[in-house]
Amino acid sequence: MAGESDLFTRIDSTKRSYLRTKSATPAHSKEVGARVIKLPEGSVPEYVKLTPYQEFCWRTIGKTVVKRMRPNPRLELALMQAHMRLRPEEYTAYVWMTTLIVGILAAVLGALFGGVLIAFLGVGAGMVTVATVLMVVIPAVLTYVVLSAIPSSRAKTRMRDINKRLGPAMSFISAMASADVNIDVIFKELARQPIYGEIKNEAEWITRDTDLLGTDILTAISKAAQRSPSTRFQEFLQGVVTTSTSGGQLKPYFLQKADQFEKEYKLEIKSQLETLGLMAETFVTVVVAFPLFLVVIMAIMAIVPGAGGNTDMTILLLYLVVGLMIPFSQFGFIFFIWNMTKESTM
């Protein structure tokens, strides 16, 4: 009887242990606290530092910018999408200070140029004033416009690079998903592949949010979708979050997206080839045929007496066409085609 009572006692204690709620968090993590991330040996933190000139601009007019600058969410978004690690206030101080310096230098040069025109060439004061004002205003306005457009321009450059590499990146992601690799590991491996350009940088930010900041993978992907300059990549990331939260399977979603982006890339290549064909025909007409006929006509006008009026002026225009118009038009077409077809270094 004593043995039977001991047996029932052990069974009862075992039942109570199984019915007890267990914590999913390891016991040692409660004692240690926050998770510790081990960096590679010899690595040091990377601090966001301004260049000496940017620091000079911030120290000089930073307080004025903070007081007078209005909230500019568009600039903040452009800086974030361009991965320019500057606050909007710091970049605005840089733009304002550079515009001020260019305006002062242009005013000095304009005053000197106006003095030369009045003293040596006898140009009227009204014309000199207009020319001086234009020499001061145009460089300052151009400087402000160009510097203000740099963040959005870099963001668009990153967008084009992301769109070009979406097809191969989706093939990589779908191959990893076919091997039943977790989504966080997929983006971590994608962040180690420099062949995917800016997509690799986007994956690095997702990995940073999950590994260093402790954010869960879906929240990190949602943040990456908000700061990505490519709408196609944003839609892909939002689709990942929606599929995961709705209980869907990510593997078919990745395979579908890989096929979709591959077809879209083929259509883009076809459209680009058609545009290149049109540009080639335009090049032959505008840069080759038209200047050739123009040179022949102007040469005949310069040779035949009385055909072109002032012969010296006709010869001067001929020199301008041959020396300036033809080379600049050729270089302009070359730069346009190169800019349209160039690919970022892989």
Side-chain angles (χ1 to χ4, degrees), residues 95-251:
V95 173
W96 288 8
M97 192 66 188
T98 305
T99 304
L100 180 62
I101 292 174
V102 170
I104 293 174
L105 293 177
V108 173
L109 294 177
L112 294 176
F113 181 72
V116 170
L117 291 179
I118 294 176
F120 297 98
L121 301 180
V123 181
M127 293 295 297
V128 171
T129 303
V130 173
T132 304
V133 170
L134 291 177
M135 288 184 64
V136 174
V137 173
I138 292 178
V141 172
L142 287 178
T143 301
Y144 180 81
V145 171
V146 170
L147 292 180
S148 300
I150 284 178
S152 59
S153 176
R154 291 188 181 180
K156 291 179 181 178
T157 302
R158 295 189 67 245
M159 177 193 67
R160 289 194 295 267
D161 185 80
I162 291 174
N163 291 338
K164 285 180 181 179
R165 302 173 191 267
L166 265 178
M170 289 306 106
S171 299
F172 176 83
I173 293 175
S174 59
M176 295 285 289
S178 299
D180 294 329
V181 180
N182 293 334
I183 183 64
D184 55 340
V185 180
I186 291 177
F187 280 103
K188 186 180 295 185
E189 291 298 325
L190 184 62
R192 297 174 181 172
Q193 308 297 325
I195 192 174
Y196 299 116
E198 294 298 333
I199 296 181
K200 174 240 184 192
N201 296 332
E202 295 289 329
E204 281 183 348
W205 279 48
I206 295 175
T207 305
R208 181 210 63 172
D209 290 346
T210 55
D211 287 357
L212 295 180
L213 304 182
T215 308
D216 64 277
I217 183 61
L218 295 182
T219 304
I221 292 176
S222 298
K223 291 182 179 179
Q226 295 174 3
R227 62 174 173 252
S228 176
S230 172
T231 54
R232 296 170 62 186
F233 194 61
Q234 288 178 4
E235 293 174 357
F236 163 72
L237 295 179
Q238 290 291 352
V240 172
V241 176
T242 304
T243 305
S244 300
T245 54
S246 61
Q249 296 293 325
L250 287 177
K251 187 188 302 184

Side-chain angles (χ1 to χ4, degrees), residues 271-329:
S271 175
Q272 190 176 17
L273 290 177
E274 293 177 354
T275 305
L276 285 176
L278 179 61
M279 292 299 299
E281 296 177 359
T282 306
F283 179 82
V284 172
T285 304
V286 176
V287 181
V288 178
F290 174 71
L292 182 61
F293 288 122
L294 185 61
V295 168
V296 172
I297 293 173
M298 294 181 69
I300 294 175
M301 292 173 60
I303 293 173
V304 177
N310 192 349
T311 304
D312 295 334
M313 180 62 66
T314 305
I315 294 176
L316 178 60
L317 292 176
L318 184 60
Y319 280 134
L320 292 176
V321 170
V322 175
L324 293 179
M325 175 182 165
I326 295 178
F328 276 101
S329 59

Side-chain angles (χ1 to χ4, degrees), residues 63-82:
K63 295 181 179 178
T64 305
V65 170
V66 173
K67 291 180 180 179
R68 297 182 176 272
M69 177 184 174
R70 297 179 180 179
N72 194 346
R74 180 177 298 179
L75 175 60
E76 185 176 0
L77 179 62
L79 290 172
M80 183 171 58
Q81 292 180 344

